[in-house]
Amino acid sequence: MEVAFDVAGLVGYRYRTDDFYEVGREKIREYARAVQDFHPAHWGEDAAGEFGYAGLIAPTTFLSTVAMLANRRLLETVMSGYHMFVQTDQVFEMHKPVLTGDRLVSDVELSSVRRIAGKDLLTITNTFIDQTGEVVQVMHTTVVGITSEDANADISDAIGRVIMNGLDTTSRTVIAAVDGAPVAKPDSDTAARLSQISRIRVPCTAIRFDDIAVGDELPTRIMRLTRVDLVNYAGVSGDANPIHWHDEVAALAGLPDVIAHGMLTMGLAAGFVTEWLGDPGALIRFGVRLSNYTVIEAAAGGSVEFTGRIKSVDAATKTAVVVIVAKSAGRKVFGLTTADVRLA
């Protein structure tokens, strides 16, 4: 079955969410727990204040959960013809720390379509804007659109049997039909401005710029995951795709077993970097390419080993680029993955 519309013609489709998302204190804590990030600035106001934050700071990948809500209109009513989507790449650009009490709206845009090896690679850009009108974070998510011809016909039936009653999973399975023409871009008088805070604030890093050099390695970190961790992340993030917790659906998808969420492994990786940095707000760009999956067996669970190496440094801005490697069961989980960091 061919895709029933010219998806390339939808590039530039854009809208702004109708309502704001308020960043909650306990939501930050439960997300930090889900990605095993125990930096004290995610958990207590006093600790956050020591780093100069007016409230708890959200972990690097926190807004991926907000993007899932913001993108529903695009996935469910615009990009028809796809049975499901498989994530391949993710880029986070941080311009301002996300803190407790922030009220965020998102501009959502289908920013790119590429066709490679007969598959459509679709990039969705989320621009998150706070109550002051400043852009706090820009997120680029690239997915492969899978048609019903490519997917196992039994998957939808299996999902229907195991998913919680009343939970809408259309954004991750079958997409509805197009409901009209693209909306206009926001008017110029509502256009947001990029915040400069993340690039001008003095970071409170445990590592000083003068003490690093190209080739230096970060301490290795091994993080364990169980099926309980996957179920918990599914609940916290809103990603209820049963390939992450149900054996039958995982098998129908052609997987060897239940696998960890891609965004969960990214969250673990971001925490690996910020633990080394000592200041969560000192990570200003994080780009991940997913190349494999992390299998989580029912009895034994699974693990991911993270290593990192400083690829380049910039003395003028006291920044560095860190290359991150993630391995599970001897396989690389990430392709090229980098973190841009600022140092004291």
Side-chain angles (χ1 to χ4, degrees), residues 23 27-29 31-39 41-43 53 56-67 90-99 104 126 128 136-141 198-199 201 221 233 263-288 324 337-342:
V23 179
K27 191 66 178 181
I28 288 177
R29 286 175 164 178
Y31 187 85
R33 179 179 180 273
V35 296
Q36 301 183 28
D37 191 339
F38 298 103
H39 191 286
H42 303 315
W43 294 86
Y53 302 121
L56 303 189
I57 179 173
T60 304
T61 57
F62 175 86
L63 289 187
S64 63
T65 65
V66 187
Q90 190 82 24
V91 176
F92 301 85
E93 300 169 358
M94 280 67 74
H95 297 277
K96 186 177 184 179
V98 176
L99 305 176
L104 306 176
N126 290 92
F128 293 99
V136 301
Q137 190 174 125
V138 179
M139 184 185 307
H140 308 278
T141 305
S198 291
R199 284 154 181 78
R201 66 176 286 269
R221 186 178 182 188
Y233 184 82
M263 283 306 316
L264 172 54
T265 57
M266 291 184 209
L268 298 175
F272 160 70
V273 176
T274 56
E275 180 183 55
W276 168 73
L277 282 171
D279 181 351
L283 175 52
I284 57 174
R285 184 185 184 278
F286 183 45
V288 181
I324 303 157
T337 296
T338 58
D340 293 19
V341 301
R342 295 183 66 238

Side-chain angles (χ1 to χ4, degrees), residues 3-202:
V3 176
F5 66 100
D6 177 19
V7 67
L10 291 173
V11 172
Y13 185 107
R14 182 174 179 177
Y15 59 89
R16 180 167 291 179
T17 52
D18 296 328
D19 198 3
F20 62 82
Y21 177 94
E22 184 162 355
V23 179
R25 178 177 185 263
E26 297 310 318
K27 191 66 178 181
I28 288 177
R29 286 175 164 178
E30 71 175 22
Y31 187 85
R33 179 179 180 273
V35 296
Q36 301 183 28
D37 191 339
F38 298 103
H39 191 286
H42 303 315
W43 294 86
E45 284 79 9
D46 289 344
E50 292 177 4
F51 288 86
Y53 302 121
L56 303 189
I57 179 173
T60 304
T61 57
F62 175 86
L63 289 187
S64 63
T65 65
V66 187
M68 289 188 66
L69 299 173
N71 295 346
R72 288 180 68 89
R73 184 195 307 178
L74 179 63
L75 295 176
E76 295 176 9
T77 66
V78 178
M79 299 199 318
S80 64
Y82 297 112
H83 185 75
M84 64 180 65
F85 301 97
V86 177
Q87 186 180 20
T88 62
D89 294 76
Q90 190 82 24
V91 176
F92 301 85
E93 300 169 358
M94 280 67 74
H95 297 277
K96 186 177 184 179
V98 176
L99 305 176
T100 304
D102 280 350
R103 293 185 170 189
L104 306 176
V105 295
S106 176
D107 284 349
V108 181
E109 181 177 9
L110 179 59
S111 52
S112 172
V113 174
R114 294 172 291 153
R115 191 157 181 84
I116 299 177
K119 304 292 185 186
D120 289 331
L121 268 68
L122 317 160
T123 299
I124 301 168
T125 297
N126 290 92
T127 302
F128 293 99
I129 304 156
D130 70 7
Q131 61 273 21
T132 71
E134 290 191 320
V135 174
V136 301
Q137 190 174 125
V138 179
M139 184 185 307
H140 308 278
T141 305
T142 300
V143 298
V144 178
I146 305 296
T147 66
S148 57
E149 185 178 56
D150 298 321
N152 188 315
D154 296 327
I155 290 180
S156 293
D157 289 340
I159 290 175
R161 292 195 304 272
V162 303
I163 207 71
M164 185 174 66
N165 183 42
L167 183 62
D168 184 358
T169 61
T170 51
S171 63
R172 291 170 295 284
T173 54
V174 181
I175 309 304
V178 175
D179 69 342
V183 298
K185 292 188 177 184
D187 296 333
S188 58
D189 61 353
T190 63
R193 58 192 181 277
L194 287 177
S195 173
Q196 297 300 312
I197 289 179
S198 291
R199 284 154 181 78
I200 62 174
R201 66 176 286 269
V202 178

